[in-house]
Each structure stands twice: as structure tokens, then as C-alpha cells.
């Protein structure tokens, strides 16, 4: 393979109902850094139907070129049309790097593409950099999070990687940036389409996604049960926060998986993170250690969570949390 034919950093811009997902903006920020290191361009792949109005925004977030595939077949995500569209773009234009968000959609799309394009894919990267040899250095946790592995795709192109939402930082929007918007026509092989979306039923959600929350009150095995989490709920209400959880309480069936923080849950970066009765296993830390300010309450003063906490309280959550809630409620009343 002649690697010199491959250049530029491409980002798959995931959109749902025409709303560009935060992870795509974060990836554009990282792609900008990588492209600057290589002296190449950032190319955003915007796929959907009636979505071309979003292109300028992507330029403001760091893209030099936006490839816009505006097709009826791409209105809603289904695997085959999206895989065909991106595979066509990659074959025609030969990017050096392709970045995809590790969302449910990205996790479906990434492996299909890497198989079709006969190249590697490193999933769930937590760090991306460029080596002296101009290869992409893709870092991700390995062996259950006990060590970090840096993976290189030396022999094949493009170098593909998925990154979870919340891991990379988005660049500030710069409306003065200029770029090129290019329309791309996709030649679908419709005989391969096997799935038709007949109806979309949205789950009723009145909670904010934990990756979007500014304050999180997270509970672990030390919180114990649903009653314990109801106690955390009261504290969260006082603070305008969301409740999240360690995996232990998800496995115990006390909390749903979409509230799980960590390596196999979500990566969060709130301004304030409360770790209540959470030991601080490496797989949990991987999902929250970048939080702005961390408060930990644990009855074991040697708990590893205190190693990352800005403020540690050694005590029983069942005593500390109601006191904290009471005090904060009084303070907020006083400040009104
Ligand atoms: C491949 C893999 C992926 C994983 N992914 C994740 C992940 O995404 N997220 C995740 O969280 N974990 C994950 N884990 C599991 C992880 O290793 C830990 O088992 C888990 O995080 C432990 O949860 P915990 O801290 O709630 O429970 P424990 O480790 O049991 O800790 C409970 C803590 O509560 C304290 N405590 C007990 N009672 C009280 C009390 N009354 N007051 C105050 N403190 C109290 C204890 O001192 C202890 O520190 C993963 C593991 C593997 C192998």
C-alpha cells in the first residue's frame, strides 16, 4: 500500500434529527490538532437529509472542508446506507485518518467500515497523537483498564479510531473561520439494503444525559440500595444535579446502565462530581477523573477515590448525605 496517497483527517459527523451530536464537535477539535501536526486538512463528513445548513457550524468548530451527503436514504441512521456512503467517500478520497464517535451508532458503523476498507480500527480511544513517523498513536485502556496501550496501524490506511463522547475537548466556536462545503453524490447499491425503519418510538426521558450534567451525584456499593439512591436524589435536587452510579450498582439492578460512569459506562466531565460510597476502581476513575472538582465520601480512609478527590470526607454516606442536603438547602434558601 502506498501510504503517501492518503492524507487529511476525516471526522464522521453524527447527527440525530438534524442535531449535530456533541461528540462530533469534540472530534473536530482533536482532528484540528492532529491535522495541524501533520500539515493537513480537517474534513467533516456530514451525512443525512436536509442537513446542509449545518455545514458552516462545522467549519466554525475546526473543519477546513465539509463533505455533505444529502440523501433521502440517509435521513435516519441505518447501517448499510451509512456504511456504503462512508466507504465510497473513503475509497474515492483516501483519508489518512478517520475518527468516529463511540456512540451506539459509531460502534455499529466503525467495525463495518474497517472490514469493508480492510484496515484496522482502535475502539474507545482516550488519547490520539501523531508519531515522528507521522503515524496515528491511538491510546486506549487494555487488560480491564489496568494498563494503557498505544496502538499503531502501520500497514494499512485509513487509520481508524472511535472515541467516546466527553473524552476529547471541543474547540471554541470561531465564526470567522472559512472553509469549503462540497456536495457528494452517493451511489447506493440498494439491493444490499435489508432494514427499513417503519416507526421510531422515543423513550420518554425527563432526565438530562449524565454526560451533559454540570453537577453529578454518583453512588456506589456504599450507598447500598434504591433507598440510598433516593437519598442521593434529594441531594441532587437541592443542587440541580443528576444522579449517576458505579457499575456495582448497575450490576445489582439498582441503577440503569445509562447512568453508569466508567470504562464500560459513560465518560463524564462535570464541574462538580460527588463520589458517594465509591471505592475508586481504575475502571470507574477512567470515566470521571477529568471532572472539575471531585468530592468523595467514603468510610474507608484508604479508599483509592481519595487519591483523585479534591475534597475527601471520611464518614458514613447515610449520615453525611442527609446533613449535606440539609445544609445546602438552608444555604440556597438563605441566598434567595
Ligand atoms: C472490564 C471492566 C470494566 C469495568 N467498567 C466499570 C465502569 O464502567 N464503571 C465502574 O464503576 N466500574 C467498572 N468496573 C468495575 C470496577 O472494577 C469496580 O468493581 C466498581 O467500580 C466498584 O464499584 P463501587 O466502588 O461502587 O463498589 P466497591 O468497590 O465495593 O466500593 C464500595 C465503597 O463504598 C465504601 N462504603 C461502604 N459502605 C459505606 C458507607 N456506609 N459510607 C461510606 N462509604 C461506604 C467502601 O469503603 C468502598 O470503598 C469494571 C470492571 C472491569 C473488569
Amino acid at each position: 500500500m502506498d501510504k503517501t496517497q492518503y492524507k487529511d483527517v476525516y471526522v464522521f459527523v453524527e447527527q440525530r434529527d438534524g442535531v449535530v451530536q456533541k461528540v462530533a464537535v469534540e472530534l473536530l477539535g482533536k482532528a484540528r490538532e492532529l491535522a495541524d501536526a501533520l500539515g493537513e486538512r480537517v474534513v467533516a463528513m456530514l451525512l443525512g437529509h436536509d442537513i446542509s445548513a449545518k455545514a458552516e457550524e462545522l467549519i466554525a468548530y475546526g473543519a477546513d472542508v465539509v463533505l455533505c451527503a444529502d440523501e433521502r436514504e440517509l435521513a435516519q441512521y441505518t447501517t448499510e446506507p451509512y456504511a456504503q456512503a462512508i466507504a465510497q467517500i473513503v475509497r474515492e478520497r483516501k483519508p489518512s485518518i478517520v475518527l468516529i464517535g463511540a456512540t451506539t451508532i459509531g460502534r455499529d458503523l466503525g467495525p463495518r467500515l474497517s472490514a469493508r476498507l480492510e484496515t484496522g480500527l482502535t475502539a474507545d480511544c482516550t488519547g490520539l497523537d501523531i508519531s515522528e513517523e507521522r503515524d496515528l498513536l491511538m491510546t486506549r485502556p487494555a487488560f480491564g483498564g489496568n494498563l494503557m496501550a498505544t496502538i499503531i496501524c502501520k500497514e494499512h490506511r485509513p487509520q481508524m479510531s472511535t472515541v467516546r463522547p466527553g473524552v476529547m475537548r471541543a474547540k471554541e466556536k470561531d465564526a470567522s473561520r472559512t472553509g469549503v462545503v462540497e456536495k457528494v453524490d452517493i451511489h447506493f447499491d440498494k439491493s444490499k439494503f435489508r432494514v427499513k425503519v417503519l416507526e421510531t418510538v422515543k423513550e420518554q426521558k425527563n432526565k438530562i444525559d449524565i454526560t451533559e450534567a454540570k453537577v453529578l451525584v454518583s453512588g456506589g456499593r456504599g450507598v447500598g440500595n434504591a433507598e440510598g439512591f433516593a437519598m442521593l436524589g434529594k441531594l441532587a435536587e437541592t443542587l440541580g444535579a443528576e444522579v449517576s452510579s458505579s457499575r456495582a450498582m448497575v450490576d445489582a439492578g439498582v441503577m440503569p446502565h445509562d447512568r453508569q460512569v466508567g470504562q464500560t459506562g459513560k465518560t463524564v466531565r462535570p464541574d462538580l462530581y460527588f463520589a458517594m460510597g465509591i471505592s475508586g476502581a481504575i475502571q470507574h476513575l477512567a470515566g470521571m477523573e477529568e471532572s472539575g472538582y471531585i468530592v468523595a465520601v467514603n468510610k474507608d480512609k484508604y479508599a483509592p477515590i481519595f487519591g483523585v478527590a479534591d475534597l475527601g470526607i471520611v464518614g458514613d454516606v447515610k449520615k453525611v448525605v442527609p446533613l449535606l442536603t440539609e445544609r445546602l438547602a438552608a444555604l440556597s434558601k438563605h441566598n434567595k
Side-chain angles (χ1 to χ4, degrees), residues 220-221 246-247 260-264 277 279 283-284 298 316-317:
R221 211 189 310 263
S246 73
R247 176 161 151 180
Q260 183 184 318
V261 172
Q263 193 190 316
T264 44
S279 59
Q283 298 88 355
H284 188 80
N298 199 301
D316 185 337
V317 281

Side-chain angles (χ1 to χ4, degrees), residues 28-336:
L28 285 174
K30 188 69 205 181
R32 184 72 267 154
E33 282 172 29
L34 299 173
D36 288 344
L38 289 164
E40 295 179 357
R41 301 177 306 170
V42 174
V43 180
M45 296 184 281
L46 178 61
L47 281 67
H49 188 43
D50 286 337
I51 32 94
S52 44
K54 299 285 167 196
E56 291 299 328
E57 193 182 329
L58 304 177
I59 292 170
Y61 279 118
D64 299 304
V65 179
V66 180
L67 300 178
C68 189
D70 201 325
E71 308 275 359
R72 197 172 294 281
E73 290 81 354
L74 300 173
Q76 255 181 326
Y77 178 82
T78 45
T79 313
E80 188 58 31
Y82 269 69
Q84 283 191 20
I86 300 184
Q88 179 192 315
I89 292 173
V90 170
R91 284 192 186 111
E92 285 173 3
R93 296 175 187 253
K94 300 193 174 17
S96 167
I97 295 171
V98 176
L99 305 181
I100 298 173
T103 60
T104 28
I105 286 179
R107 283 164 198 244
D108 181 57
L109 189 59
R112 301 249 170 189
L113 283 170
S114 77
R116 277 175 206 206
L117 299 166
E118 293 178 17
T119 185
L121 170 76
T122 307
D124 283 344
C125 292
T126 52
L128 294 171
D129 212 339
I130 301 294
S131 73
E132 279 176 17
E133 293 78 30
R134 295 172 66 81
D135 289 319
L136 181 64
L137 300 171
M138 300 174 275
T139 303
R140 56 153 297 150
F143 296 107
N146 290 314
L147 60 85
M148 301 301 280
T150 297
I151 294 157
I152 306 172
C153 180
K154 256 190 164 357
E155 310 293 337
H156 298 270
R157 288 293 180 268
Q159 304 160 93
M160 286 186 37
S161 138
T162 65
V163 179
R164 285 194 203 191
V167 173
M168 302 298 174
R169 265 183 210 282
K171 291 243 175 297
E172 287 284 319
K173 194 172 180 175
D174 177 1
S176 67
R177 287 197 82 253
T178 53
V180 179
V181 181
E182 213 180 302
K183 192 175 177 316
V184 182
D185 291 321
I186 306 295
H187 314 293
F188 291 109
D189 175 358
K190 291 188 187 168
S191 69
K192 300 254 167 63
F193 290 5
R194 298 271 187 271
V195 175
K196 235 190 224 166
V197 178
L198 300 179
E199 192 191 356
T200 309
V201 181
K202 290 214 168 122
E203 191 188 351
Q204 289 294 340
K205 273 192 188 165
N206 42 17
K207 292 182 199 150
I208 300 175
D209 188 308
I210 58 169
T211 60
E212 310 275 336
K214 295 258 176 274
V215 183
L216 280 175
V217 179
S218 214
R221 211 189 310 263
V223 171
N225 50 24
E227 205 181 303
F229 272 85
M231 171 185 81
L232 295 191
K234 281 192 195 142
L235 173 60
E237 215 176 287
T238 317
L239 291 163
E242 291 295 317
V243 178
S244 52
S245 168
S246 73
R247 176 161 151 180
M249 297 317 284
V250 174
D251 289 348
V254 175
M255 289 295 280
H257 184 256
D258 70 347
R259 300 268 123 185
Q260 183 184 318
V261 172
Q263 193 190 316
T264 44
K266 290 183 175 169
T267 305
V268 297
R269 203 193 284 252
D271 297 335
L272 179 57
Y273 186 89
F274 286 91
M276 305 298 201
I278 294 177
S279 59
I282 190 161
Q283 298 88 355
H284 188 80
L285 301 185
M288 48 63 74
E289 62 193 341
E290 295 293 319
S291 302
Y293 196 89
I294 300 169
V295 179
V297 181
N298 199 301
K299 66 178 185 184
D300 172 10
K301 69 174 177 180
Y302 298 108
I305 192 71
F306 289 131
V308 298
D310 297 286
L311 177 69
I313 301 171
V314 181
D316 185 337
V317 281
K318 292 183 185 77
K319 288 185 186 146
V320 176
V321 174
L323 280 174
L324 202 57
T325 311
E326 201 180 297
R327 187 66 68 84
L328 286 167
L331 272 176
S332 75
K333 219 183 246 173
H334 180 75
N335 290 338
K336 268 183 191 157

